[in-house]
């Protein structure tokens, strides 16, 4: 559990010796292999990550975290189809756990399989109708394929559930920007910034929206701020 916590809080290198100590106590404990798969992959030691991911699944084929960790390692070396298979198996093992759905949908999107991604997010909503993250991902997905009307609806649904969802304001601003609703885009990008988001779209696209409205002083100031953030 300590190694797993370290990985998820961004200290993968520190997780490795902890997990290896655990393997000295029980070399066949699948969750430790799964943790090492994520940790090694995160620090760029991909072959070791794949090896531990594979052994985690072999030791306990019904461990959802083992499947997810192995998929994570496979993605980083471009073995996307195999990763999809692992995530699909994880969902079969526990269809009520939402995390694998998000990971699977992301892989579908990477392969331009948008219909499958949408169907996957909709399965999340069938389990959790008020899942704002799934609503946001649907907004993003429809925006990617140019269906901005549907995209805007999903973003607005997410914000109705959580008025402090900075990412949803970012995406809604992007949708409105694409639709040339620059005033609305600026309003939502400002909300994104005011909520403490560091997402660069909320800065540079806001600057461009000011520019297209002829508000050059505001555009200049905002774009300079965006540039400073990128340089940092």
């Amino acid at each position: 559990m300590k190694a797993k916590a370290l990985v998820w809080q961004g200290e993968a290198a520190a997780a490795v010796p902890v997990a290896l100590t655990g393997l000295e106590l029980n070399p066949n404990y699948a969750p430790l292999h799964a943790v090492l798969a994520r940790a090694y992959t995160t620090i760029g030691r991909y072959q070791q990550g794949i090896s531990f991911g594979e052994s985690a699944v072999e030791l306990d084929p019904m461990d959802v975290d083992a499947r997810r960790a192995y998929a994570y390692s496979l993605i980083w070396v471009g073995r996307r189809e195999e990763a999809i298979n692992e995530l699909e198996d994880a969902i079969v093992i526990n269809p009520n756990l939402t995390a694998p759905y998000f990971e699977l949908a992301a892989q579908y999107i990477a392969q331009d399989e948008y219909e499958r991604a949408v169907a996957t997010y909709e399965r999340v909503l069938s389990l959790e109708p008020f899942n704002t993250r799934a609503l946001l991902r649907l907004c993003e997905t429809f925006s990617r394929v140019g269906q901005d009307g549907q995209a805007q609806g999903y973003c607005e649904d997410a914000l109705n559930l959580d008025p402090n969802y900075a990412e949803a304001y970012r995406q809604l601003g992007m949708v409105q920007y694409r639709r040339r609703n620059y005033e609305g885009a600026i309003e939502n990008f400002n909300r994104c910034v005011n909520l403490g988001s560091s997402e660069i779209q909320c800065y540079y696209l806001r600057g461009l929206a000011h520019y297209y409205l002829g508000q050059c002083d505001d555009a200049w100031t905002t774009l300079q701020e965006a540039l400073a953030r990128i340089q940092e």
Side-chain angles (χ1 to χ4, degrees):
M1 294 301 293
K2 181 178 180 180
K4 191 172 184 178
L6 287 168
V7 168
W8 285 107
Q9 71 177 21
E11 299 180 39
V16 170
V18 176
L20 291 175
T21 300
L23 286 183
E24 292 176 4
L25 300 172
N26 184 353
N28 296 317
Y29 190 51
L32 281 169
H33 287 255
V35 168
L36 284 166
R38 282 191 181 273
Y40 277 124
T41 300
T42 300
I43 63 176
R45 294 166 66 173
Y46 303 119
Q47 200 53 52
Q48 285 172 286
I50 288 173
S51 178
F52 275 105
E54 190 172 16
S55 62
V57 172
E58 289 176 353
L59 288 166
D60 189 351
M62 300 303 291
D63 186 325
V64 171
D65 281 342
R67 298 277 181 180
R68 292 174 62 202
Y70 188 27
Y72 178 72
S73 300
L74 290 167
I75 290 165
W76 276 90
V77 296
R79 293 163 60 179
R80 199 176 302 278
E81 284 293 342
E82 293 174 76
I84 286 173
N85 291 337
E86 294 298 327
L87 292 169
E88 289 175 341
D89 287 343
I91 288 170
V92 171
I93 294 167
N94 186 351
N96 296 315
L97 185 66
T98 59
Y101 289 102
F102 287 101
E103 294 160 355
L104 178 60
Q107 299 316 304
Y108 287 149
I109 289 171
Q111 297 195 145
D112 297 331
E113 297 182 46
Y114 297 110
E115 289 185 5
R116 297 179 75 181
V118 167
T120 304
Y121 291 132
E122 287 177 342
R123 287 182 67 184
V124 174
L125 290 175
S126 71
L127 296 170
E128 298 179 3
F130 304 116
N131 190 305
T132 54
R133 185 183 173 200
L135 291 168
L136 172 61
R137 295 293 179 259
L138 282 165
C139 177
E140 292 171 337
T141 303
F142 279 111
S143 181
R144 286 174 71 103
V145 297
Q147 297 183 31
D148 291 322
Q150 285 182 274
Q152 182 164 335
Y154 281 113
C155 271
E156 289 172 346
D157 288 344
L159 288 168
N160 286 334
L161 291 169
D162 183 1
N164 295 315
Y165 197 1
E167 283 184 90
Y169 284 115
R170 177 263 298 159
Q171 188 59 36
L172 181 56
M174 291 176 66
V175 170
Q176 292 173 323
Y177 179 88
R178 280 166 52 96
R179 305 182 88 178
R180 300 185 182 181
N181 178 3
Y182 299 123
E183 294 92 344
I186 289 169
E187 181 180 350
N188 284 297
F189 288 141
N190 277 328
R191 289 174 178 168
C192 170
V193 171
N194 292 337
L195 286 167
S197 174
S198 60
E199 294 192 71
I200 197 61
Q201 296 94 332
C202 298
Y203 292 86
Y204 88 88
L205 286 179
R206 179 162 48 104
L208 288 174
H210 280 300
Y211 170 76
Y212 287 124
L213 290 172
Q215 301 165 353
C216 291
D217 288 343
D218 289 333
W220 178 265
T221 301
T222 306
L223 290 169
Q224 287 287 348
E225 184 179 359
L227 182 61
R229 287 178 171 272
I230 287 293
Q231 291 172 335
E232 289 170 4

